[in-house]
Amino acid sequence: MATAFKPLMPLDEAWSNLRAAVEQHVAGAQGQRQTESVSSFEALGRVLAQAVVSPVDVPPLDNSAMDGYAVRVADLAQAGQAGVAAEAVTLPQAQRIAAGQLGAALQAGQCARIFTGAPVPDGADAVVMQEHTSADATAGTVRFNEPVKPGQNIRRRGEDIAQGQTVLQAGLRLTAAGLGVAASVGAAELSVFKRPRVGILTTGNELVMPGQPLPAGAIYNSNRHTLRGLVQACGADAQDLGIVPDKLEATRAALRQAAETSDLVISSGGVSVGEEDHLRNAVLAEGGLDFWALAIKPGKPFVFGWLRRVDGSRALYMGLPGNPVASYVTFLLLARPVLGVLAGEPWALPQALSLIADFNWPKADKRREFARARLNADGRVTLYPNQGSGVLTSAVWADGLIDLLPGQTVQPGDTVAYLPLPELLQPASGARQLATG
């Protein structure tokens, strides 16, 4: 009996279905995201489960933005009114204030030596940078050589962060700058979501691990390394579950085991409709399929569904193609957004840049294509010469993907949608959709 083939699903529809499925999953008891408290010193790449509210003003006091001298502008202005040019006024230095020290109140007719970050003394209303002064160490005086304005070179209390202000929102993936902000308000511990657990299976009798002899007809297992690296790059907990032989019962057993220890199970290979491709039937036996086969290139034989656990809950499942580039591209486009939601982020898709093509693409495809590309010295994008789905060196060479819509041709000078690799791995938080027309 002939296999009935469904029409290929457009990528936008797949994204919509994935978003609905993963958001429903985490909203239910089976997908409740657990949290933990971690040191803010060790929280890089984690997703905040609780907003950070500042208990202090930052900076906590008015402080100097420069090495120089704290002054009372009125002293210089009065001197100017008395017939002496304000930029030629000489004042005695009354004190020296370093960062971390509190100075005495500045009296009229005096100045204070002050250093960057030091609290501005009461009474002072400006700081003059040292390059605009001439100090006489013997006399203990300072001559001011430039006009002075009220408030210059003073960082005001709370100008960066006010006490009670929410400085980091829940759902934010913490960057190095975010960790610095947390530290600046005194947050020693942060409440974050636990990393999603991703079980990785690779399938195929032909697969051999590096370091082993390579028999005739065999290939080294590149997907196992690539997928583990991608999962780790997304900040998730990668659980390598080994190679599964091309047998239905072995595939079912591997999926059952993976479901018990994973929030998301990702496999590569075995998702097509050949006689040796058992994953689709195994997933149907161990759970269910939401959709399969997408109108994209590379990556058509993509599968999404779920796997039941012994306790009745579910793990999500994604079956990626076996061709290395197809596996790589479908992970970035489809697995990465799902992992973001499982990690505690809002649904987000990569933001495309509009750039000028430095290549020719004369033959359009019926499917939406993603071509490996990179920026050249002229700020335009060029393509890797071999776009085959098995040419993994193209992914090393590329720094992004060109998003080519169905039926789209390109000539040099045309504007194209370019997806930088950093955006594909860590899209900015917030719901986004790639332009489709």
Side-chain angles (χ1 to χ4, degrees):
M1 183 176 179
T3 302
F5 292 97
K6 293 182 179 180
L8 300 180
M9 180 179 288
L11 181 57
D12 287 335
E13 185 179 344
W15 274 328
S16 179
N17 290 341
L18 285 174
R19 179 177 184 177
V22 69
E23 289 180 345
Q24 182 180 10
H25 179 79
V26 299
Q30 61 187 357
Q32 281 292 324
R33 291 173 294 203
Q34 296 180 326
T35 64
E36 59 184 342
S37 180
V38 300
S39 164
S40 56
F41 201 59
E42 302 292 341
L44 183 66
R46 303 301 294 271
V47 177
L48 279 174
Q50 183 176 329
V52 177
V53 179
S54 177
V56 296
D57 289 323
V58 179
L61 296 169
D62 290 357
N63 69 86
S64 178
M66 299 281 180
D67 290 345
Y69 296 88
V71 299
R72 297 165 61 105
V73 173
D75 290 338
L76 306 185
Q78 290 171 3
Q81 293 169 4
V84 180
E87 62 268 24
V89 172
T90 298
L91 297 175
Q93 178 184 320
Q95 57 183 311
R96 182 180 186 275
I97 310 172
Q101 297 178 342
L102 287 176
L106 187 67
Q107 302 301 314
Q110 297 179 343
C111 69
R113 180 73 164 117
I114 196 166
F115 296 90
T116 303
V120 174
D122 290 342
D125 55 4
V127 171
V128 181
M129 62 190 301
Q130 62 189 18
E131 291 85 352
H132 294 167
T133 64
S134 301
D136 186 333
T138 302
T141 60
V142 180
R143 173 178 171 141
F144 295 90
N145 302 319
E146 299 285 343
V148 183
K149 296 180 180 179
Q152 76 178 37
N153 299 322
I154 294 178
R155 296 185 292 218
R156 295 299 182 186
R157 173 177 179 170
E159 75 173 25
D160 184 11
I161 298 170
Q163 183 180 16
Q165 178 182 339
T166 297
V167 292
L168 299 171
Q169 296 284 352
L172 176 72
R173 188 175 293 272
L174 289 162
T175 62
L179 297 183
V181 168
S184 72
V185 301
E189 299 283 322
L190 298 171
S191 176
V192 298
F193 291 107
K194 287 190 174 181
R195 300 181 190 273
R197 303 166 301 167
V198 183
I200 303 169
L201 296 167
T202 47
T203 68
N205 294 332
E206 76 281 10
L207 299 179
V208 174
M209 286 299 291
Q212 299 177 355
L214 191 64
I219 58 172
Y220 286 122
N221 187 356
S222 62
N223 284 346
R224 189 172 181 180
H225 288 66
T226 301
L227 291 176
R228 184 170 184 267
L230 286 170
V231 169
Q232 291 174 327
C234 293
D237 178 13
Q239 303 182 78
D240 176 54
L241 301 178
I243 301 173
V244 182
D246 289 325
K247 294 181 179 180
L248 180 58
E249 287 307 316
T251 304
R252 289 187 60 180
L255 292 177
R256 281 196 299 271
Q257 178 185 356
E260 296 300 322
T261 59
S262 307
D263 300 301
L264 171 65
V265 178
I266 293 179
S267 67
S268 67
V271 292
S272 191
V273 292
E275 294 179 3
E276 296 298 322
D277 295 319
H278 300 294
L279 269 166
R280 184 173 180 273
N281 289 332
V283 173
L284 286 171
E286 299 297 330
L289 282 179
D290 289 349
F291 62 84
W292 64 289
L294 302 182
I296 62 173
K297 181 180 181 180
K300 180 179 74 171
F302 172 86
V303 171
F304 176 71
W306 54 273
L307 301 168
R308 71 176 64 88
R309 300 188 181 117
V310 172
D311 64 3
S313 63
R314 296 178 177 183
L316 298 179
Y317 169 76
M318 285 186 170
L320 311 185
N323 279 322
V325 175
S327 180
Y328 177 79
V329 169
T330 51
F331 181 96
L332 294 174
L333 294 176
L334 298 153
R336 173 59 187 89
V338 168
L339 273 179
V341 177
L342 291 176
E345 294 176 299
W347 175 266
L349 294 175
Q351 181 68 52
L353 302 176
S354 295
L355 297 179
I356 303 301
D358 197 17
F359 62 89
N360 189 42
W361 191 267
K363 188 177 180 180
D365 197 274
K366 294 181 180 179
R367 290 178 282 167
R368 190 168 177 177
E369 295 192 67
F370 291 89
R372 277 76 70 205
R374 74 177 179 190
L375 291 171
N376 61 25
D378 297 325
R380 299 188 172 203
V381 284
T382 186
L383 296 184
Y384 193 75
N386 188 341
Q387 291 288 322
S389 60
V391 183
L392 190 56
T393 49
S394 65
V396 177
W397 175 90
D399 55 22
L401 302 175
I402 299 293
D403 181 6
L404 296 159
L405 300 179
Q408 181 179 357
T409 59
V410 179
Q411 295 180 346
D414 289 349
T415 299
V416 293
Y418 170 74
L419 299 168
L421 183 58
E423 263 288 301
L424 288 160
L425 283 171
Q426 298 290 346
S429 294
R432 285 177 165 176
Q433 294 290 334
L434 290 176
T436 56

